[in-house]
Amino acid sequence: MAGLRAEVFTYVAHALAVAAAVLVLVWCIHFRGGLAFESTNKSLIFNVHPVLMLIGFIIIGSEAIMSYRALPLSKEVKKRIHLILQAIAIVLGAVGIYAAFKYHNESGIANLYSLHSWIGLGTICLYGIQWILGFITFFYPGAALDFKQVALPWHALFGLFVYALAVGAAELGFLEKLTFLEESDVAKFGSEAFLVNFTALVVIFLGAFVVISTVSPNHEEDPHDYTTVADD
């Protein structure tokens, strides 16, 4: 893949992100009946969970990661875009988790009994910690330049780790929900099962291309990078 820049991989990731958003909406609206925060049909409350977790937590989180490498903007502008998009992802993810708890509580279902719920809740906590530390270190009040130089690669590495956990939690969520549905009224080889499995595959590929776009070489020097410090 020599000679390919990060932007090339982001184009594929953007397309996969749009596809994932459309697929999860088709699933929850067409197959599962729609979305609602208040309803006598408690399944409509649950449907808010996969939509917000995928579109908010995964897709907007993906865009936040890719924006830092691919956008042809100054370091400071990209930093603000990255910060805002990650904040939106956390808020939507938190609302999505609230929807899952609300559905469980109103349906008489126990909370936090599955690996999906453990990893999902842990991931959003780590996501929040990552955002707070990034805000304090790189935005306000801001650490010393030497500390930023040391912290930046660790911030990026931990961010990718948390993002990978988010993708993993999403995959476990698709598997868990589809298993429950197939034990009730959904055919194992039916169109809904196919759609859910295909959506899960799209999310895996989205995560892969986001990571590749992040670690791929970018041949343009960034004059605003923390490692580029002019001599006095």
Side-chain angles (χ1 to χ4, degrees):
M1 293 186 291
L4 292 180
R5 294 175 54 199
E7 291 90 334
V8 176
F9 301 103
T10 64
Y11 299 147
V12 179
H14 293 322
L16 291 170
V18 172
V22 170
L23 289 170
V24 76
L25 287 171
V26 169
W27 177 36
C28 291
I29 295 174
H30 176 70
F31 286 97
R32 292 289 100 202
L35 313 171
F37 271 111
E38 297 291 341
S39 176
T40 55
N41 182 356
K42 303 307 178 184
S43 295
L44 302 187
I45 298 174
F46 174 83
N47 292 344
V48 176
H49 175 70
V51 169
L52 290 187
M53 299 310 293
L54 181 57
I55 295 179
F57 208 39
I58 301 293
I59 294 177
I60 294 180
S62 298
E63 295 297 329
I65 293 172
M66 293 187 293
S67 70
Y68 206 75
R69 284 294 304 272
L71 290 179
L73 302 171
S74 70
K75 185 81 171 185
E76 289 303 313
V77 172
K78 289 192 291 186
K79 185 166 65 175
R80 284 172 171 78
I81 292 173
H82 178 78
L83 184 77
I84 292 170
L85 288 178
Q86 294 286 31
I88 294 172
I90 293 171
V91 171
L92 293 180
V95 176
I97 289 178
Y98 165 76
F101 275 95
K102 180 177 174 65
Y103 164 72
H104 281 197
N105 292 338
E106 295 186 10
S107 302
I109 301 173
N111 290 304
L112 300 176
Y113 61 86
S114 68
L115 182 61
H116 165 65
S117 61
W118 293 3
I119 294 179
L121 191 60
T123 299
I124 199 167
C125 291
L126 292 176
Y127 217 115
I129 292 171
Q130 168 83 345
W131 190 90
I132 292 170
L133 292 178
F135 181 87
I136 293 172
T137 303
F138 302 108
F139 190 74
Y140 183 83
L145 183 60
D146 289 346
F147 183 79
K148 289 181 180 179
Q149 291 175 338
V150 174
L152 185 59
W154 288 103
H155 177 75
L157 179 62
F158 188 71
L160 284 180
F161 169 71
V162 175
Y163 176 74
L165 283 180
V167 173
E171 297 304 307
L172 288 172
F174 284 124
L175 176 62
E176 180 180 302
K177 183 62 176 179
L178 184 57
T179 300
F180 290 154
L181 292 175
E182 289 176 344
E183 290 176 351
S184 56
D185 60 345
V186 172
K188 290 181 171 58
F189 296 99
S191 55
E192 182 175 358
F194 174 81
L195 177 69
V196 175
N197 283 329
F198 188 74
T199 305
L201 285 177
V202 170
V203 172
I204 289 177
F205 284 113
L206 169 61
F209 274 93
V210 169
V211 173
I212 292 171
S213 72
T214 303
V215 302
S216 63
N218 192 334
H219 299 299
E220 289 186 359
E221 289 292 334
D222 186 350
H224 302 283
D225 195 273
Y226 292 123
T227 59
T228 305
V229 182
D231 294 331
D232 294 331

